Amino acid sequence: MTLSRLVYTPLNYIGWGSLEKLWPEVAKYSPLRILLITDSILEKLGMIEPITSKLKQQGYDVSVYTDVVPDPPLELGEKLVAYTRDGGFDLVIGIGGGSAMDLAKLAAVISANEGKVADYLNLSGNKKPQHKGLPKILIPTTSGTGSEVTNISVLSLETTKDVITHDYLMADVAIVDPQLTVSVPPRVTAATGVDALTHAIEAYISVNANPITDGLALQAIRLISGSLRQAVADGQDRQARIDLSYGSHIAGIAFFNAGVAGVHALAYPLGCQFHVSHGESNAVLLPYVMGYIRSSCIKRMGHILEAMVGHTSNLSEEEASRKCVEELVGLVRDVGIPNTLRGFNIPASALESLTEDGVQQKRLLARSPLPLHKEDIRTIYQSAFDGVITEQVNARPISE
């Protein structure tokens, strides 16, 4: 086994009511000015005002920044970094989904470094942060992205996505309170939940997997697959929300250290070209990618199935790996996400441009247990359009 590098957020609080840990953690930094980054929906729902009011009562000057959108474009990141540079802030708090937390990382780090955000992009940039920047506390309000435990910030470009990665982007404190997820609507719960499941599955089959990430990934699969349907059906179910929050957090740690691969690589262009949410992009592609690469990770797919359903003793490894794909198809369908590209009104004429952009995600594709070249990627997109699980030479139709 090769040398593994494992990185963790320095301090994590997780559990029902853990938001109460925010106040003593803020006090440790003795900030004069706080920048709180969130989205306008959370603000309209009234979730932000109690937090800012208490911070102000404790004597802090708080600015709330709500220019946050899903899959934030590079231009938005540039605008926020400029705002942060000019603001004289001492602490950044990111609260919301992955986009809010990713932008909070950018604001805290890139604002303390020279140049533009574009200079630090993985595919086209030529700079690495030289200064750690402002301390940052990240608080997810969905169970899906794992952004609170990664050193990654994702930005949308014209037709695809790119990332900034550096350990300076790690949160100083992560606070995961399942109570904050109760108001998340069913569709978002479904999308972010399958996103988290994809993190765990891709971490487990990654070429960079190791015994530590394996244990985390399998436990995340158990928690998420065991709770997602119920959380979608009844968002007030406390135990389902707790299990999803723990599962998402654990999956985030697993994929941050082992990496994600083909599903995410192909999901990025889908989100940028057609504005399909990141979670739904992963969800619609997950069974097709896993079906296509099945022969490269048969035993591990059996382990994934066992984590999802609790038993595989009566199945051969071959049967279990096939059954795993069927379970993924069923889960995506059960939580109400379309299981074909046609279900998202994506035309056949777009498959070539999706392929061209998917090929560019070499950072992600390199972790796939089965090398995915251009023809493989084109085949997977075609399969997802047709609704047919393809295994290089064998095809099995799935019902809508």
Side-chain angles (χ1 to χ4, degrees):
M1 183 173 291
T2 59
L3 175 69
S4 298
R5 177 180 182 266
L6 299 167
V7 183
Y8 305 95
T9 304
L11 180 59
N12 300 273
Y13 293 104
I14 184 166
W16 197 270
S18 57
L19 182 62
E20 289 301 313
K21 295 296 182 181
L22 176 61
W23 327 119
E25 288 303 323
V26 168
K28 290 178 182 179
Y29 297 100
S30 301
L32 297 176
R33 299 204 67 208
I34 298 173
L35 173 60
L36 190 150
I37 298 170
T38 187
D39 63 66
S40 59
I41 295 175
L42 291 181
E43 187 178 48
K44 290 175 182 176
L45 289 172
M47 293 179 64
I48 304 304
E49 195 277 333
I51 296 172
T52 56
S53 291
K54 188 160 184 176
L55 289 171
K56 290 175 181 178
Q57 289 170 9
Q58 295 175 347
Y60 305 115
D61 180 358
V62 183
S63 294
V64 179
Y65 189 95
T66 60
D67 189 9
V68 174
V69 297
D71 302 316
L74 174 62
E75 293 76 14
L76 195 155
E78 300 283 14
K79 178 182 174 183
L80 173 58
V81 166
Y83 175 86
T84 308
R85 280 181 177 146
D86 293 340
F89 299 106
D90 308 298
L91 173 69
V92 174
I93 299 174
I95 179 168
S99 296
M101 291 188 287
D102 281 6
L103 288 171
K105 297 176 189 180
L106 285 184
V109 177
I110 305 303
S111 65
N113 287 270
E114 295 180 352
K116 296 183 177 181
V117 175
D119 297 331
Y120 296 88
L121 291 171
N122 176 66
L123 294 177
S124 57
N126 57 10
K127 290 181 179 292
K128 291 291 182 184
Q130 301 300 308
H131 306 285
K132 187 176 186 296
L134 302 174
K136 48 200 170 298
I137 299 173
L138 302 183
I139 308 170
T141 59
T142 64
S143 299
T145 70
S147 180
E148 77 276 7
V149 293
T150 73
N151 71 354
I152 305 165
S153 182
V154 184
L155 294 166
S156 296
L157 306 182
E158 187 174 344
T159 60
T160 188
K161 296 182 182 182
D162 201 354
V163 299
I164 296 174
T165 62
H166 195 281
D167 285 350
Y168 287 161
L169 272 70
M170 295 289 292
D172 294 281
V173 181
I175 299 174
V176 183
D177 189 340
Q179 192 169 4
L180 298 177
T181 70
V182 169
S183 63
V184 176
R187 180 169 179 172
V188 178
T189 298
T192 54
V194 180
D195 186 18
L197 181 65
T198 304
H199 292 157
I201 289 173
E202 291 210 283
Y204 190 64
I205 60 147
S206 168
V207 297
N208 295 330
N210 61 69
I212 295 174
T213 60
D214 285 351
L216 293 167
L218 288 175
Q219 179 64 0
I221 293 167
R222 292 186 193 101
L223 288 168
I224 297 165
S225 62
S227 61
L228 182 55
R229 291 178 176 89
Q230 179 60 21
V232 171
D234 179 9
Q236 300 295 316
D237 189 307
R238 176 170 170 155
Q239 192 59 52
R241 289 298 191 182
I242 290 171
D243 287 350
L244 266 187
S245 288
Y246 272 95
S248 171
H249 188 70
I250 296 169
I253 298 171
F255 95 79
F256 173 46
N257 286 285
V260 289
V263 180
H264 277 72
L266 274 62
Y268 276 7
L270 196 60
C272 283
Q273 291 191 31
F274 293 96
H275 305 293
V276 179
S277 75
H278 177 64
E280 290 182 330
S281 296
N282 277 328
V284 70
L285 291 169
L286 177 61
Y288 300 100
V289 174
M290 295 304 296
Y292 192 82
I293 69 172
R294 186 189 62 82
S295 63
S296 68
C297 50
I298 289 176
K299 180 176 287 189
R300 289 202 158 228
M301 289 185 67
H303 298 162
I304 293 169
L305 176 67
E306 186 173 9
M308 292 184 71
V309 303
H311 58 84
T312 60
S313 57
N314 61 331
L315 300 175
S316 68
E317 288 184 352
E318 176 77 15
E319 291 169 336
S321 67
R322 291 182 180 276
K323 180 67 173 174
C324 178
V325 178
E326 293 174 7
E327 285 293 323
L328 295 176
V329 170
L331 178 59
V332 172
R333 182 189 296 123
D334 289 350
V335 297
I337 299 174
N339 56 17
T340 67
L341 296 185
R342 285 181 285 114
F344 289 97
N345 297 315
I346 294 170
S349 59
L351 300 185
E352 191 59 36
S353 64
L354 289 170
T355 300
E356 292 293 339
D357 288 340
V359 170
Q360 303 304 314
Q361 297 297 329
K362 294 179 174 58
R363 178 182 66 91
L364 304 178
L365 293 171
R367 302 170 187 144
S368 174
L370 178 72
L372 295 175
H373 304 292
K374 187 173 183 177
E375 286 305 314
D376 301 303
I377 292 170
R378 182 183 287 109
T379 299
I380 293 170
Y381 278 130
Q382 185 68 57
S383 298
F385 180 83
D386 294 334
V388 175
I389 302 294
T390 303
E391 301 177 34
Q392 294 178 288
V393 293
N394 300 313
R396 296 180 289 115
I398 64 172
S399 57
E400 290 286 349

